[in-house]
Short mmCIF file of all heavy atoms in Angstrom, two decimals:
data_model
loop_
_atom_site.label_atom_id
_atom_site.label_comp_id
_atom_site.label_asym_id
_atom_site.label_seq_id
_atom_site.Cartn_x
_atom_site.Cartn_y
_atom_site.Cartn_z
N ILE A 200 -48.49 22.42 36.70
CA ILE A 200 -47.90 21.61 35.63
C ILE A 200 -48.75 21.81 34.39
O ILE A 200 -49.95 21.54 34.41
CB ILE A 200 -47.91 20.11 35.99
CG1 ILE A 200 -47.27 19.86 37.35
CG2 ILE A 200 -47.19 19.31 34.91
CD1 ILE A 200 -47.44 18.41 37.82
N VAL A 201 -48.14 22.29 33.32
CA VAL A 201 -48.84 22.39 32.03
C VAL A 201 -48.49 21.16 31.21
O VAL A 201 -47.33 20.98 30.83
CB VAL A 201 -48.44 23.67 31.27
CG1 VAL A 201 -49.27 23.80 29.99
CG2 VAL A 201 -48.63 24.90 32.15
N GLU A 202 -49.47 20.28 31.00
CA GLU A 202 -49.22 19.02 30.30
C GLU A 202 -49.85 19.09 28.91
O GLU A 202 -51.07 19.11 28.75
CB GLU A 202 -49.82 17.84 31.08
CG GLU A 202 -49.11 17.56 32.38
CD GLU A 202 -49.11 16.09 32.76
OE1 GLU A 202 -49.97 15.33 32.25
OE2 GLU A 202 -48.26 15.70 33.56
N SER A 203 -48.99 19.13 27.92
CA SER A 203 -49.48 19.14 26.55
C SER A 203 -48.38 18.69 25.62
O SER A 203 -47.38 19.38 25.47
CB SER A 203 -49.96 20.55 26.15
OG SER A 203 -50.39 20.53 24.81
N LYS A 204 -48.59 17.56 25.00
CA LYS A 204 -47.55 17.00 24.10
C LYS A 204 -47.25 18.01 23.00
O LYS A 204 -46.11 18.28 22.69
CB LYS A 204 -48.06 15.68 23.52
CG LYS A 204 -47.09 14.93 22.67
CD LYS A 204 -47.71 13.62 22.21
CE LYS A 204 -46.87 12.96 21.14
NZ LYS A 204 -47.56 11.76 20.57
N THR A 205 -48.29 18.64 22.46
CA THR A 205 -48.11 19.59 21.36
C THR A 205 -47.88 21.01 21.85
O THR A 205 -47.43 21.88 21.12
CB THR A 205 -49.39 19.61 20.49
OG1 THR A 205 -50.49 19.96 21.36
CG2 THR A 205 -49.63 18.25 19.84
N PHE A 206 -48.27 21.26 23.11
CA PHE A 206 -48.27 22.62 23.67
C PHE A 206 -49.03 23.59 22.75
O PHE A 206 -48.66 24.76 22.60
CB PHE A 206 -46.86 23.16 23.93
CG PHE A 206 -46.77 23.90 25.25
CD1 PHE A 206 -46.45 23.23 26.42
CD2 PHE A 206 -47.04 25.25 25.32
CE1 PHE A 206 -46.38 23.91 27.64
CE2 PHE A 206 -46.99 25.94 26.53
CZ PHE A 206 -46.66 25.27 27.69
N SER A 207 -50.11 23.06 22.16
CA SER A 207 -50.93 23.93 21.29
C SER A 207 -52.42 23.65 21.46
O SER A 207 -53.23 24.14 20.71
CB SER A 207 -50.56 23.70 19.82
OG SER A 207 -50.82 22.34 19.50
N THR A 208 -52.78 22.88 22.47
CA THR A 208 -54.19 22.57 22.70
C THR A 208 -54.87 23.75 23.37
O THR A 208 -54.48 24.13 24.49
CB THR A 208 -54.30 21.30 23.56
OG1 THR A 208 -53.62 20.24 22.88
CG2 THR A 208 -55.74 20.91 23.80
N ILE A 209 -55.85 24.33 22.72
CA ILE A 209 -56.40 25.63 23.14
C ILE A 209 -56.97 25.57 24.55
O ILE A 209 -56.78 26.51 25.35
CB ILE A 209 -57.45 26.15 22.14
CG1 ILE A 209 -57.87 27.59 22.48
CG2 ILE A 209 -58.64 25.22 22.04
CD1 ILE A 209 -58.70 28.27 21.41
N GLU A 210 -57.59 24.45 24.92
CA GLU A 210 -58.16 24.37 26.27
C GLU A 210 -57.05 24.45 27.32
O GLU A 210 -57.16 25.18 28.31
CB GLU A 210 -58.93 23.06 26.46
CG GLU A 210 -60.13 22.87 25.54
CD GLU A 210 -59.77 22.01 24.33
OE1 GLU A 210 -58.63 22.14 23.82
OE2 GLU A 210 -60.64 21.24 23.89
N THR A 211 -55.99 23.72 27.06
CA THR A 211 -54.89 23.68 28.03
C THR A 211 -54.19 25.02 28.13
O THR A 211 -53.92 25.51 29.23
CB THR A 211 -53.91 22.56 27.64
OG1 THR A 211 -54.63 21.31 27.63
CG2 THR A 211 -52.73 22.48 28.57
N LEU A 212 -53.92 25.63 26.98
CA LEU A 212 -53.23 26.93 27.00
C LEU A 212 -54.10 28.00 27.64
O LEU A 212 -53.62 28.86 28.38
CB LEU A 212 -52.83 27.32 25.58
CG LEU A 212 -51.81 26.39 24.91
CD1 LEU A 212 -51.47 26.89 23.52
CD2 LEU A 212 -50.54 26.25 25.76
N THR A 213 -55.40 27.94 27.42
CA THR A 213 -56.31 28.92 28.02
C THR A 213 -56.31 28.78 29.54
O THR A 213 -56.15 29.75 30.28
CB THR A 213 -57.73 28.72 27.47
OG1 THR A 213 -57.69 28.82 26.04
CG2 THR A 213 -58.69 29.78 28.03
N ASN A 214 -56.46 27.55 30.02
CA ASN A 214 -56.44 27.31 31.46
C ASN A 214 -55.08 27.62 32.07
O ASN A 214 -54.98 28.20 33.17
CB ASN A 214 -56.81 25.85 31.76
CG ASN A 214 -58.31 25.62 31.71
OD1 ASN A 214 -59.10 26.48 32.09
ND2 ASN A 214 -58.71 24.46 31.22
N ALA A 215 -54.01 27.25 31.34
CA ALA A 215 -52.67 27.50 31.89
C ALA A 215 -52.41 28.99 32.03
O ALA A 215 -51.79 29.44 33.00
CB ALA A 215 -51.63 26.85 30.98
N THR A 216 -52.93 29.76 31.08
CA THR A 216 -52.77 31.22 31.17
C THR A 216 -53.51 31.78 32.38
O THR A 216 -52.99 32.61 33.12
CB THR A 216 -53.27 31.88 29.87
OG1 THR A 216 -52.54 31.34 28.77
CG2 THR A 216 -53.09 33.40 29.91
N ILE A 217 -54.70 31.26 32.63
CA ILE A 217 -55.48 31.70 33.80
C ILE A 217 -54.69 31.40 35.08
O ILE A 217 -54.54 32.25 35.96
CB ILE A 217 -56.85 31.01 33.84
CG1 ILE A 217 -57.74 31.49 32.69
CG2 ILE A 217 -57.55 31.22 35.19
CD1 ILE A 217 -59.02 30.69 32.51
N VAL A 218 -54.13 30.21 35.15
CA VAL A 218 -53.39 29.81 36.36
C VAL A 218 -52.11 30.64 36.49
O VAL A 218 -51.79 31.14 37.57
CB VAL A 218 -53.07 28.31 36.33
CG1 VAL A 218 -52.14 27.93 37.48
CG2 VAL A 218 -54.35 27.48 36.38
#
Side-chain angles (χ1 to χ4, degrees):
I200 307 172
V201 184
E202 292 212 339
S203 179
K204 184 178 169 187
T205 57
F206 221 90
S207 61
T208 303
I209 188 169
E210 298 97 324
T211 301
L212 296 181
T213 303
N214 280 324
T216 302
I217 292 170
V218 172

